[in-house]
Amino acid sequence: MTATLDKPTPGGGLESRNGMLRGAARGGLANLAGTVCTGAAGLGVTWLAARALDPHGAGAFFAATAVFGLGVTVAKLGVQTSLVYWPARMRATGDLSRLGECLRAALGPVAVAALVIAGGLWFAADLLPGRPDLVRTLAVFLPAAAVSDALLAATRGLRAMRPTVLLDRVLRPAAQLVLLALVWVTGWGPDVFAALWALPYLPAALLAGVALTRLRARLTAGAAAAAGTAAAAGAAGAAGDFTPRRFWAFTAPRAVASLAQMALQRVDVLLVAALAGLAPAAMYAVAGRFVILGQFVNQGVTQSVQPRLAERLAVRDTAGANLLYRQATAWVVTACWPLYLLMFTYAPQYLDLFGGHYESGVPIVRLLAATMLVATATGCVDVVLAMAGRTWWNLANVGLALLTMLVLDAVLIPRHGAAGAAVGLCAAVLVNNLVPLVQVVRGLGLHPFGRATLLAGGLATSCFAVPQLAVLPVHGLIVQFAATGAGAVAYCCAVVRLRHVLLQGER
């Protein structure tokens, strides 16, 4: 199977189930390739921040980017999910007549909200943890980041992954890494570091707009040509269900849930900075940075299957949706479990890459790695709820997870610093994945535990955890490396041999 990108067919319509899996797999593999670039660039940025800046400067940078991320999430107003959900429903029946109205209903409010929030951050920067000048620098680029994400979401709703992969996964992260490497070489301060980190959002937003314009023109022309056939078949267009009011009724809980979801990822850094200091915040950010790699993999697979889930659930094809959910979970487990098992084993070596300031973060790395193994096994459970129209359930789940984290952080960070924040985050992650899993199983009749998922988890455990346990009595990195190398070779061979089961669920 090649990693070619999805090519949406004019006029829309549903694929066969085999075609659905093949298309989702192609998009997922393409996104995974882009994710490797994004993850490597993200780790590179963290490494450069740790090396180019002192711990206080690095902590201020991480705190400022956390504020930036929260601001972007608020500015998007939750439309990124709706811009997949509604265009995918329209495309499922080949009725794109109200696509333009859908895009206008979303993008205009996002642009206005982004400008308002950027201005608010500029004037409120002195009230936030860290350095106000860094927050103001990033606020200038916030509208471009918010609009770019919304535009790319719309292209994914039309089942085109190429713009997201090229712009959001490859070009922007690569540009950030190159520009920050320039800062490290020249020795410029944190303010320039922050500005060059955010600068690539400007060309990304412009190119995303061009991509969406071209895609919309191509699909609308194809849909118009197929309109007579669809009418003759008696197809009930999803565009008939669309109104701006329904769009925002669906979006409103997602807007709050997206903010809470981003808070789960960002606010703990701010709390550590406020309650324990900037140096512990930098250590916590470095220790947990590897989690982003797995999240990018999960996001890449999710973005590929999301429009297809919406299409299947829109026509009440529960069996097809369940098949897609199980296979997507298997793909995520196949890619992520080796990463988390290796991070658990090599936590000290991972932290050594960032310097001696961060060696005390080993327990944090291992706790997060163990938690993410559990979370990954539930797959894209929150997306399944959203694509089934259960956005209020999703909001309640994320709110409960955020409340769990905030309570534990308030109690544990003053006493235990970054380690306390890690406990709070892990508890929140488990709540945010296990509670919706119960809802999906009981309320929708879907579950992620297919043959491929169990096979992927068993292979990863056998090849990466069991060899490390076997050599545990023997001390020395050389033995550990040898066990890891043998396990990695065995894993790659097994994945290739069983690829039809892992990728497509074939027996």
Side-chain angles (χ1 to χ4, degrees):
M1 179 177 296
T2 61
T4 56
L5 302 181
D6 296 354
K7 294 181 179 179
T9 56
L14 283 176
E15 308 158 295
S16 67
R17 288 184 182 171
N18 286 337
M20 171 189 71
L21 287 179
R22 285 194 297 268
R26 284 195 299 268
L29 286 173
N31 241 337
L32 182 59
T35 293
V36 172
C37 298
T38 306
L43 282 176
V45 168
T46 303
W47 185 85
L48 286 169
R51 292 290 184 174
L53 308 173
D54 59 52
H56 283 80
F61 171 73
F62 293 131
T65 55
V67 171
F68 177 82
L70 288 171
V72 170
T73 300
V74 175
K76 288 187 292 187
L77 303 176
V79 302
Q80 64 271 32
T81 299
S82 300
L83 283 173
V84 173
Y85 178 79
W86 286 105
R89 285 173 59 85
M90 294 176 186
R91 194 183 184 284
T93 55
D95 184 359
L96 300 174
S97 59
R98 304 190 71 177
L99 176 60
E101 185 180 2
C102 176
L103 296 177
R104 290 190 296 273
L107 298 177
V110 168
V112 173
L115 291 171
V116 171
I117 292 167
L121 288 180
W122 181 277
F123 291 107
D126 291 323
L127 304 177
L128 300 171
R131 289 180 46 175
D133 57 325
L134 298 189
V135 175
R136 291 191 177 98
T137 297
L138 295 182
V140 173
F141 300 93
L142 189 148
V147 171
S148 175
D149 283 357
L151 292 168
L152 292 176
T155 64
R156 295 193 300 273
L158 297 171
R159 214 194 288 168
M161 292 303 304
R162 187 186 301 273
T164 295
V165 172
L166 294 181
L167 299 179
D168 197 53
R169 297 282 183 266
V170 179
L171 294 180
R172 178 183 57 78
Q176 288 175 319
L177 187 61
V178 171
L179 291 173
L180 295 188
L182 178 64
V183 177
W184 184 41
V185 171
T186 58
W188 291 332
D191 50 345
V192 178
F193 198 91
L196 293 183
W197 176 83
L199 181 62
Y201 281 105
L202 292 176
L206 177 61
L207 293 174
V210 172
L212 178 59
T213 300
R214 292 178 176 176
L215 177 64
R216 178 190 169 191
R218 184 166 69 250
L219 289 179
T220 302
T229 303
D241 296 335
F242 173 82
T243 65
R245 182 175 180 179
R246 287 182 175 178
F247 179 92
W248 285 106
F250 178 88
T251 302
R254 282 300 305 159
V256 182
S258 297
L259 176 59
Q261 190 74 49
M262 180 57 70
L264 283 174
Q265 301 173 14
R266 301 281 188 171
V267 78
D268 48 355
V269 176
L270 297 176
L271 288 174
V272 175
L275 300 176
L278 291 177
M283 194 272 287
Y284 177 70
V286 166
R289 186 60 61 176
F290 75 94
V291 173
I292 294 178
L293 291 175
Q295 289 174 337
F296 279 144
V297 172
N298 196 356
Q299 186 182 54
V301 172
T302 295
Q303 289 176 346
S304 179
V305 304
Q306 192 176 18
R308 290 176 169 86
L309 273 173
E311 292 171 4
R312 294 290 162 172
L313 293 170
V315 298
R316 295 179 174 83
D317 180 10
T318 303
N322 201 30
L323 175 62
L324 187 57
Y325 179 30
R326 292 198 305 266
Q327 287 302 131
T329 305
W331 303 337
V332 173
V333 170
T334 300
C336 289
W337 273 36
L339 167 66
Y340 295 137
L341 290 170
L342 288 174
M343 291 305 306
F344 191 95
T345 301
Y346 293 104
Q349 290 73 34
Y350 163 72
L351 292 170
D352 282 344
L353 295 174
F354 300 94
H357 300 292
Y358 305 103
E359 60 186 9
S360 61
V362 171
I364 297 175
V365 172
R366 288 178 170 162
L367 180 61
L368 290 172
T371 301
M372 294 309 298
L373 288 173
V374 177
T376 303
T378 66
C380 53
V381 62
D382 55 337
V383 170
V384 174
L385 281 179
M387 293 301 99
R390 306 301 201 276
T391 51
W392 286 104
W393 293 12
N394 180 250
L395 173 58
N397 297 336
V398 179
L400 178 61
L402 179 59
L403 179 63
T404 299
M405 187 182 76
L406 292 176
V407 170
L408 289 176
D409 281 358
V411 173
L412 297 177
I413 289 177
R415 297 182 180 180
H416 304 286
V423 172
L425 176 60
C426 289
V429 167
L430 293 177
V431 169
N432 197 38
N433 285 273
L434 298 181
V435 172
L437 178 62
V438 174
Q439 295 170 338
V440 164
V441 172
R442 292 189 174 184
L444 302 178
L446 308 178
H447 68 85
F449 306 118
R451 179 170 179 256
T453 304
L454 298 177
L455 177 62
L459 285 177
T461 302
S462 300
C463 295
F464 291 98
V466 172
Q468 295 302 321
L469 292 174
V471 302
L472 192 61
V474 183
H475 298 288
L477 275 179
I478 294 179
V479 176
Q480 272 190 317
F481 288 154
T484 298
V489 171
Y491 188 73
C492 291
C493 292
V495 168
V496 171
R497 184 177 180 83
L498 299 169
R499 64 188 180 279
H500 297 298
V501 177
L502 295 173
L503 289 178
Q504 293 180 254
E506 297 177 7
R507 294 184 179 276

